[in-house]
Amino acid sequence: MINLLNKSLTSFGKFLILMGRTFKRPERLRMFAKEYIKEMAQLGVNSIGIVLLISFFIGAVICIQMKLNIQSPWMPRWVSGYTTREIMLLEFSSSIMCLILAGKVGSNIASEIGTMRVTQQIDALDIMGINSANYLILPKIMAMLTIMPILVVFSSAMGIMGAYGTAYIGHIIVPDDLTLGLQHSFQPWFVWMSIIKSLFFAFIISAVPSYFGYTVEGGSVNVGKASTDAVVCSSVLILFSDVFLTQLLS
């Protein structure tokens, strides 16, 4: 237990040192801007498809489950739309979607940087006097912080479209009742709360895998292990921070 605690504190200290090297002013802003745009496309834009697909079907499934299992003669007919909106805004589009992206984006970042480490490309950058942490990690973090709120908004909108799909195609619920539920007691703060949470999760998704990839040792087998550890650690941190942020922002 003590060894595990010491190892965790050591890793946390190394992470803070790495972030200190990362968050420095880029030496060449034009190069940073080029990498920033490339990472936005690679990490964010390429993830829009899976975000929209999953959100559509999850919104449809939530609406169906609420209608079939919660609706009763004693409840208003709009309760299915109301619960669908609350679940999509408060948890799925921010927290669960970020868990999914932690697997897709996090493994990509860890394996990319880890491969550069074991092939000594990072060592070559350091020898040339380039701040490798700033050059490799900062564009990824900034790109995720920029694109994640957009993905969250797209996810919420697509989830609502999935709910309407069950209304118009599956005839599970009357569209007017669904609209009434979606509009009932709407609080704009829930949208902002979802976006604020996603910013913290975006940092975790980009920074933690970058640390695991940057500090990997050994060969290609260790790169795969680092990628797996990065996804697991990112997911656990997202769940812990979700509890804290929900309590803080509610």
Side-chain angles (χ1 to χ4, degrees):
M1 184 66 182
I2 297 178
N3 291 333
L4 179 61
L5 181 61
N6 290 335
K7 184 178 179 181
S8 300
L9 292 177
T10 301
S11 299
F12 182 66
K14 291 181 179 179
F15 175 77
L16 293 180
I17 293 173
L18 180 63
M19 290 299 104
R21 293 179 55 200
T22 300
F23 286 97
K24 290 185 178 181
R25 186 179 184 275
E27 297 176 1
R28 299 178 61 182
L29 292 177
R30 181 176 298 181
M31 182 64 68
F32 169 77
K34 181 180 178 180
E35 291 295 318
Y36 169 69
I37 295 174
K38 186 188 77 172
E39 296 297 344
M40 281 188 62
Q42 181 177 344
L43 302 178
V45 177
N46 291 345
S47 301
I48 291 179
I50 189 172
V51 168
L52 296 181
L53 181 66
I54 295 176
S55 299
F56 180 85
F57 286 103
I58 290 297
V61 169
I62 291 175
C63 186
I64 293 172
Q65 293 284 9
M66 294 301 106
K67 175 64 178 179
L68 297 181
N69 297 299
I70 294 182
Q71 194 74 276
S72 72
W74 302 100
M75 288 186 178
R77 291 181 298 180
W78 46 258
V79 70
S80 298
Y82 174 77
T83 52
T84 300
R85 185 198 72 200
E86 297 297 280
I87 292 173
M88 291 299 300
L89 280 180
L90 294 177
E91 278 305 313
F92 180 81
S93 294
S94 59
S95 306
I96 308 302
M97 185 56 64
C98 287
L99 281 174
I100 297 172
L101 291 178
K104 179 183 182 298
V105 176
S107 61
N108 183 10
I109 293 175
S111 59
E112 177 185 343
I113 298 180
T115 302
M116 295 183 68
R117 168 61 74 182
V118 299
T119 55
Q120 299 181 347
Q121 297 180 51
I122 295 179
D123 296 333
L125 290 174
D126 293 333
I127 291 173
M128 289 187 294
I130 298 174
N131 185 348
S132 58
N134 177 268
Y135 176 76
L136 295 174
I137 300 176
L138 184 60
K140 300 180 187 298
I141 294 177
M142 297 307 297
M144 286 303 299
L145 289 175
T146 304
I147 203 70
M148 186 60 76
I150 300 175
L151 293 178
V152 167
V153 173
F154 282 0
S155 175
S156 299
M158 187 56 64
I160 293 175
M161 291 181 63
Y164 273 107
T166 63
Y168 284 102
I169 300 175
H171 305 289
I172 301 297
I173 185 175
V174 178
D176 292 338
D177 293 339
L178 177 60
T179 302
L180 185 62
L182 292 173
Q183 295 175 344
H184 180 74
S185 299
F186 175 69
Q187 298 186 35
W189 168 246
F190 287 166
V191 178
W192 290 108
M193 185 171 71
S194 180
I195 292 175
I196 292 172
K197 288 167 62 176
S198 71
L199 292 175
F200 285 89
F201 300 155
F203 176 79
I204 293 174
I205 292 172
S206 54
V208 173
S210 296
Y211 165 77
F212 278 94
Y214 194 87
T215 58
V216 69
E217 296 178 354
S220 57
V221 175
N222 299 87
V223 174
K225 183 178 183 301
S227 179
T228 302
D229 293 340
V231 173
V232 173
C233 185
S234 299
S235 301
V236 172
L237 289 176
I238 288 174
L239 292 174
F240 273 109
S241 59
D242 183 32
V243 175
F244 175 75
L245 291 171
T246 301
Q247 182 68 27
L248 181 65
L249 298 174
S250 297

